[in-house]
């Protein structure tokens, strides 16, 4: 299993966490986003979106972090990352999707580059990022349960999406005091070695 | 079952299609986005994100269109909208997520309003929308199979996400000639009454 990865990519970080939680052995290939290696013919042949992560396994290429995590849950059922019970599953997926659909895509590298090309300056781009992260986190805080993790006593897909977004939030200087449940869940998750070992600082080239 | 809906919302349109495909009876409640009813205390109590769709069922509220469709697949298994086989499932979810995560969230009402507040003019906002839709569609075209639908001979979650995004693409004047597989899948899906009955023109208040 080969993960086409980038240390600071939020979506790739999620997949590293999931692989670690399931104790699945994998190799990493660094795709250097700042050098545009994701737009190389070789990478586009793996993933027409030109994104990381892409997971090569059994002669196939899987893309989209949530689809990859769902696939891992089918192939390596323990520990389960998306609950089996339909209601618990819907709640966990909804929380993950607040990040996956409505927070992270507004702040990734290609969007920042587009805004810059439109003449939006550094300060306004940072403010843009902080704004959308705050919107997502406010909703997620209201959706969170009693913890300690978003998954309750054990991490689930919502924690896997939260931790990389919290990493980004700190990079952009988002004030986190308004989200005590998220801060608690992030800390509880990062105390788990599977999360810690996936951290950008641990895999930076 | 009560769907908090808005006729032009892409995410709500997806859920209408899914409910129709499964022949699940539901009632609709129009949340008038242009009047900001999605930010009312009543709606925020249902969905802290302040978005549609929200599906009230069995005393619960489900949010996030993909989470809702996954839940419907568990509760109403026929016809299946997300394949059961792990590989087919990963492929279908990846296609849906190209729209769900990387296309639609960049072009919805709150983003358009934010850009306007930043001084981005009408033409530049339309160009922004066309750019991200073209990026998503180029990837999805490369990921599409032989059809006629993205789901093959029968529609799946990828078709459910494609059709509303194609509706948006036409509204923004995106040139579609470069995406023949998507145009074919969209036409094949719209020939199915479950899709046609969910169209904004059929449910507009």
């Amino acid at each position: 299993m080969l993960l086409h990865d980038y240390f600071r990519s939020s979506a790739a970080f999620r997949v590293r966490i999931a692989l670690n939680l399931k104790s699945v052995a994998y190799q990493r290939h660094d795709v250097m986003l700042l050098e545009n290696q994701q737009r190389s013919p070789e990478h586009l042949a793996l993933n027409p979106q030109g994104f990381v992560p892409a997971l090569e396994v059994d002669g196939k290429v899987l893309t989209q972090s949530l689809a990859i995590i769902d696939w891992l849950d089918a192939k390596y059922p323990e520990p389960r990352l998306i609950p089996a019970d339909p209601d618990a599953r819907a709640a966990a997926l909804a929380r993950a999707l607040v990040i996956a659909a409505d927070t992270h895509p507004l702040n990734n590298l290609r969007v920042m580059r587009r805004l810059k090309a439109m003449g939006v300056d550094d300060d306004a781009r940072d403010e843009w990022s902080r704004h959308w992260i705050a919107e997502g986190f406010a909703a997620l805080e209201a959706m969170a349960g009693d913890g300690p993790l978003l998954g309750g006593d054990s991490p689930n897909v919502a924690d896997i999406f939260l931790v990389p977004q919290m990493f980004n939030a700190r990079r952009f200087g988002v004030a986190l005091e308004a989200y005590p449940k998220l801060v608690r869940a992030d800390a509880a998750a990062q105390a788990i070695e599977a999360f810690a070992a996936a951290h950008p600082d641990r895999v930076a080239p």
Side-chain angles (χ1 to χ4, degrees), chain A:
Chain A
M1 202 175 293
L2 177 61
L3 179 65
H4 297 270
D5 195 4
Y6 182 65
F7 74 118
R8 266 189 179 164
S9 158
S10 200
F13 187 175
R14 297 166 192 159
V15 174
R16 294 195 302 268
I17 296 168
L19 289 164
N20 292 348
L21 282 167
K22 289 182 180 288
S23 302
V24 174
Y26 63 101
Q27 296 186 291
R28 298 178 54 253
H29 168 238
D30 284 309
V31 180
M32 304 307 288
L33 302 192
L34 298 180
E35 298 167 20
N36 281 325
Q37 290 181 357
Q38 72 278 21
R39 306 300 305 176
S40 71
E42 294 75 17
H43 189 76
L44 288 171
L46 292 171
N47 181 0
Q49 279 201 284
F51 289 172
V52 292
L55 185 66
E56 283 195 79
V57 52
D58 302 342
K60 296 178 301 289
V61 183
L62 307 179
T63 62
Q64 285 286 348
S65 59
L66 185 57
I68 294 171
I69 291 168
D70 180 274
W71 184 91
L72 289 170
D73 246 7
K75 292 287 190 175
Y76 304 92
E78 295 299 329
R80 200 159 180 109
L81 303 178
I82 309 176
D85 172 73
D87 291 348
R89 185 175 179 87
L93 286 173
R95 292 171 186 180
L97 284 160
V98 169
I99 304 293
D102 298 319
T103 308
H104 175 251
L106 289 156
N107 305 300
N108 61 15
L109 180 63
R110 64 180 188 147
V111 174
M112 293 297 109
R113 284 175 167 170
R114 185 83 185 172
L115 289 170
K116 186 172 183 178
M118 288 162 66
V120 178
D121 69 22
D122 289 6
D123 286 350
R125 292 201 307 280
D126 284 352
E127 180 55 32
W128 166 278
S129 292
R130 283 192 294 271
H131 173 76
W132 297 118
I133 295 171
E135 290 271 308
F137 278 4
L140 197 54
E141 179 76 14
M143 295 163 80
D146 294 329
L149 294 146
L150 291 182
D153 290 328
S154 57
N156 73 15
V157 66
D159 299 287
I160 292 172
F161 278 68
L162 173 67
V163 167
Q165 190 62 59
M166 285 292 260
F167 173 76
N168 283 348
R170 292 190 176 97
R171 281 179 63 208
F172 287 116
V174 174
L176 297 173
E177 295 74 18
Y179 320 112
K181 291 180 175 181
L182 304 188
V183 169
R184 180 184 60 192
D186 177 61
Q190 292 208 58
I192 298 167
E193 176 58 17
F195 282 80
H199 193 279
D201 293 346
R202 293 271 291 269
V203 298

